[in-house]
Amino acid sequence: MRGKVALAALLGLAVVVAGVAVGSVYIPPADVLRIISHRALGTALPAGLDSAHISIVWELRLPRVLLAFVVGAALSVSGAVMQSVLRNPLASSYTLGVSSGASLAAAIVILYGFVIPLAGVMTLPLVGFMFGLGTIVLALAFAARVDGQMQNNTVILAGMVFSLFVNAVTTLLISLSREHAARLIFWQMGSFAMRGWQAVAILTPVLLVIGLFVLGKSRELDIMTFGEDQARTMGVRLGRVKWSLLIAAAGLTGSAIPFVGVIGFIDLVAPHLVRRVFGSSHRLVIPLSALTGGAFMVLCDLAARTVISPSELPVGAVTAMIGAPFFVYIYLSGRKAGVNR
Amino acid sequence: MLTVNNLSAGYGGLDVIHEVTFNLAAGECLSIVGPNGCGKSTLLKALSGLLPFKGEAEIGGMPIRTMNASQLARQLAMLGQSSGVYFSYTVFDTVMMGRYPHKKGGLLGLPTKKDEAVALDCIQSVGLLDERDREITKLSGGQLQRVFLARTLAQQPRILLLDEPANHLDLRYQTELVDHLKNWAGQKSGAAAGVFHDLNLAIRFSGRLMVMEDGRVRALGAASEIIQSGLLEEVYKMDVAGYMRACSAFWECEQSS
C-alpha cells in the first residue's frame, strides 16, 4: 500500500511538471524545475536560459497548472464526501447542483460587479459557496419529499432537475446582457486560462482548511457508507456530522467553480478510481482523491490547450467527454452488482 | 440490566407502540415475535436512540435519554438485517469501525493498539480471522453478516439488539448466528433482545418470549407456556401449532422411510 501511495504521489508530481513543460513552446522539464526553484527558493539560474521561458513558466503556465491542480483536488474531495454522506457512488457536487448554483452566483457577481463589504476578493468564492449550498439543500429537500427512502435514482434526478433549472436562470441572465454574453458563455464552459496567481492564492488555503477538516472526519465518513441508522447506533452524531460535511463539500466546489467555470464529472471519476485501487478507507481516499483529481485536471487542461492549438477547448468539455461515459459505466456496473454480492 | 417501563413511540407524533414494559437481566436473551406491523422493529429503534420515545428506558440505572450518541453506543449495539454494501472495505477495517464510540480525542481520533486487539478478537470469535484482509464486497451473504456481527461486538456493548439478524441467511448460518449470540450473552454477561419472524429460530435463541400485537405486549414469559396458552394462534390468526406439527411430522416420516 505504501508503495502504491508513493507511486501515485510521484505520478502526480510528474503530471504537474509535464503540464508546465508542454504547450505551444516546449520547455524541457529540467529547465522547468530550475526556473521554479529560482523563483520560489532563489537558487541561481544556469546561463543561456531564455528569459521568455522564465516568464512563460512563472507568469503563465505554473499558475495555470497549479490552479487546475487545486480546483481538481477540491472538486474530487468534494465528490468523495458527497458519495459517502449520501451513500451513493453517483453523487457529486456536479450531479447534485452545487456547480450550477455556484455558476449562477458567479454570473451574478460578474454581471453586476458587486462586492460583499469586508469580503473583497473573497466575494466570488463566498457567494459561490452560498448559492451552491442553497441548490443542494433544495435538491435534497425535494428528493426527501418525493421519496422518503432517498433512493439513489431519486436523489440524482432531483439534483439534475434543480441543476438544469438553475442553469436555465444563468442562461437567461447571460442572454439578457448582450455585452458580456460571449465572455460569460466561454467562462461557463470552464477554463483555467489567464486566471493568474490570485485565484491560486485564494483557493489553496480554502482547500487546505476544508480538506483537513474532512480528513479529520474520515472515520465518520467510513461508517456513514453503511447507512444513517447504522451510523447513529455506532455513536456518530449524525445530524451534526452530516451537515458539516455537506457544507464542507459545497464549500470546496462552490468556491472553486466561480473562478474557473463549470467543470463536471471529475468529482465522480477521481474518487471512484481511488477507491478501486486503494479501497474505500477515507483516510486514504480523501488525500488521494485530491492528488488524483488534481493530476487528472492538469492532464485535461493540457489536452484542452494543446489539441487544437493555438486555440483552446473549454476544459469543462474535455472532462465531460471523459466523465459522462464513465458515469454511465458506474451506473450500469452498480446496477449489475445489485447489493454487491 | 435493561429496564423498559411504559415505553411508547412512533413516527410523526403518532404512536405505533404503546406502554411496553420489560426487563433484561445480565446473561439473558429475549425473543420478540409478532405479526408484521406489530411494532417489533419500532421498539428496537426507540431503544437504540433512533426514535424519540415517551416512558422510561434505562441501562444499568442510567436513562437512555440522557446519554449522548457515543455513550449509548458503548452500552448498546444493534445488528440489523444484512444490507447492501456500496463501498468496499477490508474485513478488518469494517470491524474496526465498531471501535468508533471508544475513540479518544485528538485531531484524527486515530484507533489505538487496544482497538486493534479488540477488533481482531471479535473477528476471531466469528471465525473470519483468515479473511481479515479480504474486501467485504467479495464475501458471501453469510460471511458478510458475520463481519457485521463482529463489528457490533467490537463496540463491546452490554446490550445487543437484533432486528431479524438471520434474514437472507441460509439455514446453517441462521442457527450458527443465533447460537453465537446466545454464547456471547452467557460469556460476557451481556443481554440480548432479538426480533424474529421465524418462531423456531426465536425459540432456539431464547426460551423467553415476548409476543407483540398492534404495538402492545400481549405476553411475556416462557415459550412453552405461551405455546400452550393458544395465544400465538390468536395473534397470528392461524393454526400455528398445527403448522409446526405438520412440518415436524413431515421430517419424521422422511427420516423413517
Side-chain angles (χ1 to χ4, degrees), chain A residues 103-185:
Chain A
S103 148
L104 173 62
I108 293 173
V109 170
I110 293 169
L111 279 177
Y112 300 107
F114 75 87
V115 173
I116 300 179
L118 299 178
V121 290
M122 296 301 283
T123 299
L124 205 52
L126 261 180
V127 178
F129 157 66
M130 289 190 291
F131 273 60
L133 185 64
T135 316
I136 191 178
V137 167
L138 285 178
L140 290 178
F142 177 75
R145 192 75 188 269
V146 182
D147 169 12
Q149 303 277 320
M150 295 274 277
Q151 305 223 8
N152 283 359
N153 294 343
T154 321
V155 172
I156 297 299
L157 196 64
M160 289 292 177
V161 168
F162 276 81
S163 147
L164 286 174
F165 177 74
V166 172
N167 278 345
V169 175
T170 313
T171 310
L172 203 67
L173 275 182
I174 292 176
S175 58
L176 286 176
S177 74
R178 295 271 150 103
E179 52 200 304
H180 299 292
R183 192 163 63 96
L184 276 172
I185 287 171

Side-chain angles (χ1 to χ4, degrees), chain A residues 192 266 295-305 314-315 318-319 322:
Chain A
F192 294 110
I266 202 147
F296 188 58
M297 189 67 99
V298 171
L299 283 178
C300 286
D301 183 47
L302 187 61
R305 63 190 155 91
V315 67
V318 176
T319 59
I322 302 169

Side-chain angles (χ1 to χ4, degrees), chain A residues 1 4 76-92 221-222 225 267-282 284-286 288-289 292 326 330, chain B residues 86-90 135 137-138:
Chain A
M1 191 59 88
K4 277 202 270 184
S76 302
V77 170
S78 160
V81 170
M82 294 272 184
Q83 286 144 28
S84 157
V85 170
L86 299 173
R87 210 188 171 201
N88 183 338
L90 294 175
S92 73
L221 283 165
D222 287 344
T225 64
D267 40 9
L268 213 64
V269 176
H272 191 84
L273 289 179
V274 169
R275 289 197 183 94
R276 270 286 167 88
V277 179
F278 299 95
S280 302
S281 182
H282 284 84
L284 285 174
V285 167
I286 296 300
L288 286 168
S289 289
T292 312
F326 198 83
I330 301 177
Chain B
Y86 292 92
F87 297 95
S88 196
Y89 295 90
T90 64
E135 298 284 318
T137 42
K138 306 219 164 73

Side-chain angles (χ1 to χ4, degrees), chain A:
Chain A
M1 191 59 88
R2 288 238 169 90
K4 277 202 270 184
V5 173
L7 189 67
L10 273 179
L11 273 176
L13 193 67
V15 166
V16 169
V17 173
V20 181
V22 179
S24 49
V25 180
Y26 174 75
I27 300 169
D31 285 356
V32 169
L33 290 176
R34 281 189 199 111
I35 295 170
I36 294 176
S37 112
H38 166 67
R39 294 301 301 256
L41 308 169
T43 54
L45 273 181
L49 207 64
D50 193 338
S51 68
H53 284 190
I54 301 178
S55 64
I56 289 177
V57 166
W58 193 256
E59 311 293 339
L60 294 175
R61 290 208 194 137
L62 188 60
R64 177 173 183 151
V65 164
L66 288 183
L67 181 62
F69 191 92
V70 172
V71 168
L75 295 181
S76 302
V77 170
S78 160
V81 170
M82 294 272 184
Q83 286 144 28
S84 157
V85 170
L86 299 173
R87 210 188 171 201
N88 183 338
L90 294 175
S92 73
S93 293
Y94 183 63
T95 46
L96 290 173
V98 178
S99 308
S100 311
S103 148
L104 173 62
I108 293 173
V109 170
I110 293 169
L111 279 177
Y112 300 107
F114 75 87
V115 173
I116 300 179
L118 299 178
V121 290
M122 296 301 283
T123 299
L124 205 52
L126 261 180
V127 178
F129 157 66
M130 289 190 291
F131 273 60
L133 185 64
T135 316
I136 191 178
V137 167
L138 285 178
L140 290 178
F142 177 75
R145 192 75 188 269
V146 182
D147 169 12
Q149 303 277 320
M150 295 274 277
Q151 305 223 8
N152 283 359
N153 294 343
T154 321
V155 172
I156 297 299
L157 196 64
M160 289 292 177
V161 168
F162 276 81
S163 147
L164 286 174
F165 177 74
V166 172
N167 278 345
V169 175
T170 313
T171 310
L172 203 67
L173 275 182
I174 292 176
S175 58
L176 286 176
S177 74
R178 295 271 150 103
E179 52 200 304
H180 299 292
R183 192 163 63 96
L184 276 172
I185 287 171
F186 193 79
W187 167 83
Q188 226 197 347
M189 291 186 290
S191 167
F192 294 110
M194 310 309 281
R195 299 298 193 274
W197 282 102
Q198 195 194 31
V200 179
I202 294 174
L203 284 181
T204 308
V206 171
L207 169 69
L208 281 178
V209 169
I210 302 184
L212 281 177
F213 168 79
V214 169
L215 191 61
K217 294 268 176 276
S218 298
R219 291 181 81 176
E220 287 85 349
L221 283 165
D222 287 344
I223 293 173
M224 285 166 81
T225 64
F226 289 91
E228 301 199 343
D229 281 359
Q230 187 67 51
R232 281 164 70 183
T233 60
M234 287 167 76
V236 175
R237 289 184 187 184
L238 194 79
R240 229 161 80 170
V241 171
K242 181 178 170 177
W243 279 106
S244 67
L245 284 169
L246 277 179
I247 290 171
L252 287 171
T253 302
S255 54
I257 293 286
F259 287 102
V260 296
V262 176
I263 298 171
F265 292 112
I266 202 147
D267 40 9
L268 213 64
V269 176
H272 191 84
L273 289 179
V274 169
R275 289 197 183 94
R276 270 286 167 88
V277 179
F278 299 95
S280 302
S281 182
H282 284 84
R283 226 184 321 153
L284 285 174
V285 167
I286 296 300
L288 286 168
S289 289
L291 181 68
T292 312
F296 188 58
M297 189 67 99
V298 171
L299 283 178
C300 286
D301 183 47
L302 187 61
R305 63 190 155 91
T306 51
V307 168
I308 55 162
S309 171
S311 10
E312 286 197 9
L313 292 168
V315 67
V318 176
T319 59
M321 294 284 259
I322 302 169
F326 198 83
F327 180 91
V328 173
Y329 160 74
I330 301 177
Y331 184 79
L332 291 179
S333 63
R335 268 223 311 215
K336 199 172 61 193
V339 285
N340 277 331
R341 294 280 159 72

